[in-house]
Amino acid sequence: MKKVLKILGIVVLVLVVLLTVFFAYAQYKNWQALNTPILTDDYYNSFAETFPAGGKLEALYAGKGSYEVEHLEYKSNNKSIGTIRIYYPAELRTSGRQYPLVMVVNGSNTPAKIYLPFFQRLASWGFVVVGTDDPQAGTGETTSITLDFVLNESEIADQIDRDNIGIIGYSQGGAGALGAATKYESSYLYKAIFTGSAAYPFLAQNMGWGYDIAKINVPYFMTAATGKSDDLGVTDTNAEFGGVAPLASLVEIFGNMTDDVLKVRARVTGAEHEQMQARTEGYMTAWMLYHLQGDQGAGKVFLGENAEILSNSNWQDIEKNG
């Protein structure tokens, strides 16, 4: 009997050790994912050459702008937020001007610190660009908290044009962007929204990131990928999981939005979910330039029967009301 108990004790001990090693390894892998850059510092130096642009405007706006860029960092008291990261045109400090603001909502397990060149590139087009290290930003709450801080407590608060604030998000961050723009006291401040493969309403609701698309009353450019990661081709996407952002959900969202604002829906041809940030860079930038800076050249991407997006082979399933 003692021998049996001894063997059982050894087995239990081995299992405990194995479980400890497994959980330690899992924690390490999670830490590694949250701290390993997915974009290198020189990522955009050759991006214009490698980006598969399907139009002159898409190629132009996927590249870098003309502004030199500086940045600030603030440690937040909110543990989920971690660090607030602000990129802005260097001339902001001396120009006496105010600059439009773009809030960026992270995708799942994608804190701002691992894709900072994205922020720097967008800021080079004349925006103040703000993100956080929240790896689970789907409710939009931490984005709302961060916006309040930037507008009221940051050292560049007076240089921000409060009449021109936009918000963008990818995947879980898309749901977070829609939430931030509809559920909080500061939601009325947003003038334009862009999402890349935002978690569609059925998925978002089940994940605790629910949003009410009927409350979106500002220009909205919604995009998704054509691959199975975004669209599984199920019959009823409101009854079963249809992918992250199925076409049926974009059609439904577009139809439920007010016609009083410009709205555009489109899918990136041949793309999968994880490619959406890179594949939408150009037109996302154009959307913000048009709505927040009044750039009429950028507006040619979306407006009228000759809009570039309509003849761009990179895009399909397009519907717009302007």
Side-chain angles (χ1 to χ4, degrees):
M1 185 67 178
K2 289 183 178 179
K3 186 175 181 180
V4 172
L5 290 175
K6 184 177 181 180
I7 292 173
L8 286 174
I10 293 172
V11 170
V12 170
L13 179 61
V14 169
L15 288 174
V16 169
V17 170
L18 288 174
L19 285 172
T20 301
V21 171
F22 172 79
F23 284 116
Y25 179 73
Q27 287 182 324
Y28 167 73
K29 293 297 290 184
N30 184 61
W31 177 91
Q32 188 178 49
L34 295 176
N35 289 276
T36 302
I38 58 175
L39 298 182
T40 60
D41 290 340
D42 62 351
Y43 177 76
Y44 289 102
N45 290 344
S46 59
F47 188 69
E49 299 174 7
T50 59
F51 177 72
K56 291 182 178 179
L57 295 177
E58 186 173 39
L60 171 64
Y61 296 121
K64 290 183 178 180
S66 61
Y67 290 85
E68 295 294 324
V69 175
E70 295 180 351
H71 73 280
L72 290 166
E73 294 182 0
Y74 294 95
K75 290 292 184 182
S76 174
N77 293 326
N78 185 297
K79 290 184 179 180
S80 295
I81 291 172
T83 300
I84 296 171
R85 303 178 187 275
I86 307 174
Y87 283 74
Y88 59 91
E91 68 172 38
L92 173 149
R93 295 288 191 174
T94 57
S95 69
R97 291 172 46 206
Q98 292 184 321
Y99 296 78
L101 170 67
V102 178
M103 298 295 296
V104 181
V105 191
N106 302 322
S108 301
N109 292 321
T110 312
K113 63 184 174 182
I114 69 172
Y115 66 112
L116 292 176
F118 174 90
F119 294 80
Q120 186 174 27
R121 187 203 70 86
L122 189 54
S124 76
W125 284 97
F127 299 105
V128 175
V129 186
V130 177
T132 77
D133 286 341
D134 185 359
Q136 302 292 331
T139 67
E141 180 180 9
T142 54
T143 299
S144 180
I145 293 170
T146 300
L147 177 62
D148 290 340
F149 173 85
V150 173
L151 293 180
N152 298 300
E153 299 182 53
S154 72
E155 62 191 80
I156 62 168
D158 292 339
Q159 279 70 56
I160 294 173
D161 181 355
R162 293 171 181 245
D163 293 327
N164 286 291
I165 299 175
I167 187 166
I168 66 177
Y170 296 87
S171 192
Q172 179 184 160
L178 292 165
T182 55
K183 298 191 296 188
Y184 302 95
E185 288 185 10
S186 60
S187 295
Y188 75 95
L189 291 169
Y190 293 108
K191 187 177 179 180
I193 303 172
F194 166 87
T195 61
S197 297
Y200 80 105
F202 176 84
L203 171 61
Q205 188 65 42
N206 280 284
M207 295 298 292
W209 313 326
Y211 54 85
D212 183 355
I213 197 63
K215 293 182 178 179
I216 296 293
N217 57 7
V218 296
Y220 179 24
F221 181 23
M222 63 194 84
T223 69
T226 56
K228 289 189 178 296
S229 49
D230 268 4
D231 195 338
L232 291 170
V234 304
T235 302
D236 186 353
T237 58
N238 290 314
E240 59 180 317
F241 176 63
V244 180
L247 175 59
S249 70
L250 266 67
V251 172
E252 182 179 358
I253 290 169
F254 187 96
N256 287 339
M257 268 190 68
T258 176
D259 289 323
D260 295 334
V261 298
L262 179 63
K263 51 184 178 177
V264 180
R265 69 166 174 85
R267 296 203 297 171
V268 182
T269 303
E272 290 292 349
H273 184 76
E274 66 275 9
Q275 298 174 299
M276 284 299 291
Q277 183 171 302
R279 295 288 299 274
T280 60
E281 292 259 16
Y283 284 173
M284 174 276 293
T285 303
W287 185 256
M288 291 300 160
L289 284 168
Y290 176 66
H291 289 290
L292 305 185
Q293 295 188 22
D295 187 326
Q296 297 303 305
K300 292 179 180 179
V301 169
F302 312 101
L303 301 178
E305 60 184 18
N306 295 316
E308 183 181 274
I309 193 171
L310 297 175
S311 60
N312 187 334
S313 61
N314 284 339
W315 296 84
Q316 65 182 66
D317 305 310
I318 300 162
E319 185 175 5
K320 63 191 190 72
N321 67 340

